[in-house]
Amino acid sequence: MIISVASGKGGTGKTMVSTSLAASIKNNYNVQLLDADVEEPNSHIFLKPVFETSHAVSINVPVVNEDRCNHCGKCAEVCAFNAIAVVKDFVLTFPELCHGCGACSYLCPRRAINEAPNQIGTVETGKAGSISFVQGKLDIGQTMPTPVVRKVKELTSREHISIIDASPGTSCPVIAAIKDSDFCLLVTEPTPFGLNDLKLAVETVKQMGIPCGLILNRAGVGDSRVEEYCQKENIPILLTIPLDLNIARLYSKGTTLAEGLPQWQENFKEVFRKIREITGERNSST
Amino acid sequence: MKIAISASSPSLDSEVNPRFGRCDMFIIADPKSIDFEVVDNAGESAGGGAGISTAQMIAQKNVEVVITGNCGPNAHRVLSSAGIEIITGAEGTVRQVIEDYNNGKLSSSSGPNVSDHFGMGGGGGHCRGKGKAN
């Protein structure tokens, strides 16, 4: 079973929820945590894994063979990302803008473009006690997280309960992270910003056909509009975490809620039970 | 010869547009006769690499000098490769700038004067989680 954790708004508690959920059910299940927030992976701070492997993630970027090129400009014309330009007798490439689609090389009438791998990040694996740990890391200065997210996802294990910590927002890296999950946990806070971005996230998961439920974090900080929205949209609120100084302190020290306040383990186990119920119901009704 | 000036409206009285890659249009003029044509900038709405696509378009117009407010590193690289002189920091109307150019009051810049994404608004181009097309 794959459970992804997303939010819309950033800083609402995805990592706290992902790591606490993993730590709460690790004694009962084989758990895998995949940190797909590759621009700033931070689940490792909480689960403290020992890394065993590290693999480079590359995308193929164009390399122009000047001997064959006649500067016709076709490559620049077909590049949707302006990653290649032809001016006078020069072909200029901008690997940091290239999405590795291969169109320039494929459509070059003179077969003058080869492709060469350009490293953009790494995927690391390891163990955090009994939890299998995977994280993607985008290299500094790189601007395309999605291929790294995809590589992280390739390591999703069907023998585990896989928990995927996604990045904030609803753009491509998030879509790549939550795609194919059985359930998406949306974490938000009861503020106008939290609600606005939650709506975007809900529309996204609905479009993708992924059932979702909400964890309301920092309850007490804002108003009741998130709850009203969830009621209207039939989104179950699976857990409410209050705005609490002790919880904030634990987080700032890199301790999961499950370890720092063990009474929360039962709450996260309950969340997991509800997720199983919802996904089970869904499978039997379809 | 032809010089291209980034502009906001299609007349010599337009203010110079401070952005190169994402300006609305260019006024391409002969600085002596002040004959000019207006070229819309398709790069204005590019998802990414606006400076590159705009610079390429300008290069195809056989322009020798570009006058604008700010020019980032990628656009600078393309324009330089095309042998185009780049003058940044221009202000005022297009007409005034052409006059200043004719009077030798403008000097070319040897490198980009702003970092990439400068002209995307909001002080930065990195829109994390805001629908950036990856």
Side-chain angles (χ1 to χ4, degrees):
Chain A
M1 167 141 120
I2 304 171
I3 302 169
S4 53
V5 182
S7 68
K9 184 183 177 299
T12 57
K14 285 179 299 300
T15 298
M16 185 180 78
V17 163
S18 305
T19 56
S20 292
L21 178 62
S24 298
I25 62 171
K26 68 176 179 186
N27 293 333
N28 304 87
Y29 300 93
N30 287 328
V31 177
Q32 180 189 40
L33 191 131
L34 302 104
D35 195 342
D37 187 1
V38 304
E39 285 174 270
E40 38 197 13
N42 59 354
S43 290
H44 69 94
I45 296 170
F46 295 86
L47 294 182
K48 303 169 184 68
V50 178
F51 287 106
E52 291 153 0
T53 70
S54 175
H55 294 285
V57 179
S58 302
I59 58 167
N60 285 334
V61 300
V63 178
V64 180
N65 180 345
E66 290 286 353
D67 295 336
R68 297 184 71 99
C69 174
N70 65 352
H71 310 104
C72 71
K74 187 77 184 170
C75 53
E77 185 193 313
V78 300
C79 180
F81 306 100
N82 295 317
I84 191 161
V86 181
V87 285
K88 302 207 167 140
D89 291 341
F90 297 97
V91 183
L92 305 171
T93 60
F94 297 85
E96 71 280 8
L97 296 177
C98 176
H99 286 221
C101 74
C104 56
S105 148
Y106 186 76
L107 293 166
C108 173
R110 310 257 307 176
R111 293 266 171 270
I113 299 179
N114 296 314
E115 291 174 87
N118 179 39
Q119 185 178 337
I120 59 167
T122 48
V123 170
E124 297 164 306
T125 68
K127 281 282 205 182
S130 64
I131 301 172
S132 293
F133 195 90
V134 182
Q135 78 170 10
K137 213 153 69 175
L138 187 69
D139 285 349
I140 290 171
Q142 292 295 335
T143 56
M144 275 194 299
T146 311
V148 183
V149 175
R150 284 197 204 107
K151 283 289 173 193
V152 168
K153 290 283 296 285
E154 281 177 15
L155 298 175
T156 310
S157 154
R158 275 286 169 186
E159 276 118 58
H160 288 76
I161 303 295
S162 298
I163 300 168
I164 298 172
D165 189 4
S167 49
T170 46
S171 62
C172 299
V174 178
I175 306 295
I178 67 177
K179 191 168 173 271
D180 300 324
S181 38
D182 300 298
F183 191 85
C184 186
L185 256 181
L186 297 173
V187 187
T188 198
E189 59 178 32
T191 63
F193 300 113
L195 176 59
N196 180 77
D197 291 5
L198 172 68
K199 287 178 181 169
L200 299 174
V202 167
E203 281 172 41
T204 306
V205 296
K206 278 197 174 156
Q207 185 121 16
M208 295 173 78
I210 303 169
C212 70
L214 189 93
I215 290 192
L216 190 62
N217 190 18
R218 290 201 278 278
V221 76
D223 56 33
S224 60
R225 279 183 284 176
V226 166
E227 283 146 296
E228 287 157 19
Y229 169 75
C230 287
Q231 196 163 23
K232 197 175 110 236
E233 295 291 322
N234 266 325
I235 298 161
I237 297 178
L238 305 179
L239 181 65
T240 299
I241 305 171
L243 179 69
D244 181 290
L245 197 56
N246 287 327
I247 295 175
R249 248 188 220 120
L250 282 177
Y251 184 85
S252 70
K253 287 180 185 156
T255 308
T256 65
L257 212 45
E259 286 162 311
L261 293 166
Q263 65 270 32
W264 278 89
Q265 284 183 20
E266 207 39 57
N267 295 334
F268 279 100
K269 282 181 184 167
E270 184 58 26
V271 167
F272 183 66
R273 272 194 287 273
K274 286 177 188 162
I275 292 173
R276 294 212 106 175
E277 218 175 276
I278 294 167
T279 53
E281 272 173 13
R282 186 173 172 269
N283 288 342
S284 59
S285 68
T286 50
Chain B
M1 76 174 285
K2 291 202 279 188
I3 64 175
I5 301 140
S6 57
S8 304
S9 58
S11 95
L12 291 175
D13 296 315
S14 162
E15 291 288 316
V16 173
N17 195 312
R19 309 191 298 178
F20 173 75
R22 292 187 186 275
C23 70
D24 306 277
M25 61 197 75
F26 285 91
I27 290 181
I28 297 180
D30 179 321
K32 297 293 173 231
S33 66
I34 325 268
D35 284 342
F36 70 96
E37 61 166 328
V38 177
V39 179
D40 276 334
N41 180 22
E44 188 205 352
S45 56
I52 296 166
S53 105
T54 303
Q56 202 174 210
M57 181 274 285
I58 288 295
Q60 281 160 3
K61 297 279 178 193
N62 295 316
V63 163
E64 286 172 49
V65 181
V66 161
I67 304 177
T68 185
N70 299 306
C71 180
N74 289 346
H76 202 279
R77 197 178 137 209
V78 176
L79 291 171
S80 305
S81 298
I84 295 170
E85 186 188 345
I86 304 149
I87 295 170
T88 54
E91 285 177 329
T93 64
V94 171
R95 192 189 300 279
Q96 183 62 46
V97 161
I98 295 174
E99 208 168 288
D100 288 349
Y101 176 79
N102 283 332
N103 295 331
K105 285 187 187 168
L106 304 176
S107 55
S108 64
S109 70
S110 54
N113 70 326
V114 290
S115 64
D116 47 0
H117 293 159
F118 185 84
M120 283 183 72
H126 189 61
C127 309
R128 194 169 196 262
K130 288 248 176 104
K132 197 177 75 169
N134 277 340

